[in-house]
Amino acid sequence: LSHPECYGGLVFTSPRALEAIKLCLKGNSKNEAWSKSLKQRWNTKPAYVVGKATASLVEEIGLTPQGEKSGNAEKLAEYICSREKPNSSALLFPCGALKREVLPTVLREKGIPLESLTVYQTTQHTDLQESLSSYFSQQGFPASIVFFSPSGVRFCLQHIQKLSGDLINHIKFAAIGPTTAEAMEAAGIPVSCTAESPTPQDLAAGIQKAHRLQNCCLAK
């Protein structure tokens, strides 16, 4: 972050990457350097983002996001390729250890340099099993379950299957986007709906539609 002159811009595909950036800027001297000059220098370059949640966090650190309507890595890669020239300065890509290779691969094929930097690790929450068990025992059987990431599928599914038993076939499973939907299908979960874009509104609309279809089938 101290050397914007070395890069052509920034790429963010996760709010967690922005949380890592914020941690980097927490120290007084670093925060001062960011406010005085680094922020302005980075603002002369694009800050590409995958969705609205990430865009709002980019704005919080004083940068102007681009591409927030993309919704997934594939579409963001297309957007970046439409704006960047081959063999220009590398884009800095702070990312997680479990990042998919879709965006780096597309950019590489188009000759657009990308420097990936792992800034966070995805791990299972220590209280995950206990929290799920508590929910099922206190709230009962859920009508819908939403997955927000492939790692969520990997960490939660076995516990949900155990807690649901034979009733799992009555749950409507929803995905925040196509990447998560693919992970669900690979794990053998029927995907009732995928949000058209990764927003609460589109997710709610998808779940409502899935339940309406179920009610229509039951009525027949």
Side-chain angles (χ1 to χ4, degrees):
L1 290 174
S2 301
H3 299 283
E5 71 280 1
C6 296
Y7 300 97
L10 291 157
V11 180
F12 297 106
T13 59
S14 162
R16 263 77 57 202
L18 268 303
E19 290 168 17
I21 297 290
K22 284 185 172 183
L23 285 173
C24 288
L25 301 176
K26 263 192 172 179
N28 288 336
S29 59
K30 292 174 184 175
N31 204 355
E32 189 177 345
W34 179 259
S35 299
K36 279 190 172 180
S37 66
L38 290 175
K39 179 172 64 176
Q40 287 81 356
R41 289 163 67 192
W42 276 112
N43 255 328
T44 64
K45 307 165 188 288
Y48 297 110
V49 300
V50 78
K52 291 181 179 179
T54 308
S56 65
L57 291 171
V58 166
E59 289 172 344
E60 283 181 19
I61 63 170
L63 300 181
T64 304
Q66 296 182 26
E68 62 261 39
K69 291 182 180 178
S70 302
N72 60 57
E74 289 88 343
K75 289 182 180 177
L76 180 60
E78 290 173 14
Y79 180 82
I80 293 171
C81 289
S82 72
R83 302 175 71 87
E84 294 291 326
K85 294 177 181 177
N87 303 315
S88 52
S89 296
L91 299 171
L92 180 61
F93 179 30
C95 56
L98 299 179
K99 78 173 189 308
R100 293 173 73 227
E101 291 301 317
V102 172
L103 189 142
T105 299
V106 172
L107 266 57
R108 186 168 56 248
E109 288 173 352
K110 296 290 185 181
I112 298 168
L114 183 74
E115 186 176 313
S116 299
L117 184 68
T118 302
V119 296
Y120 70 92
Q121 176 79 40
T122 303
T123 59
Q124 180 174 321
H125 195 286
T126 52
D127 297 331
L128 178 62
Q129 186 173 355
E130 185 182 333
S131 296
L132 284 169
S133 298
S134 176
Y135 177 88
F136 272 77
S137 61
Q138 292 178 20
Q139 303 292 330
F141 185 74
S144 306
I145 292 177
V146 182
F147 285 110
F148 288 84
S149 68
S151 55
V153 177
R154 190 171 69 255
F155 294 145
C156 297
L157 182 58
Q158 58 179 332
H159 303 307
I160 291 169
Q161 288 171 325
K162 188 176 179 181
L163 291 164
S164 303
D166 293 337
L167 293 173
I168 195 165
N169 296 322
H170 297 284
I171 299 175
K172 293 294 180 189
F173 286 97
I176 192 65
T179 305
T180 304
E182 286 173 16
M184 291 163 67
E185 287 166 355
I189 309 173
V191 182
S192 298
C193 71
T194 303
E196 285 190 14
S197 65
T199 64
Q201 293 81 5
D202 282 341
L203 180 61
I207 294 170
Q208 286 175 333
K209 185 178 179 181
H211 281 289
R212 278 200 302 270
L213 288 171
Q214 182 188 34
N215 291 337
C216 286
C217 290
L218 291 172
K220 288 178 183 178

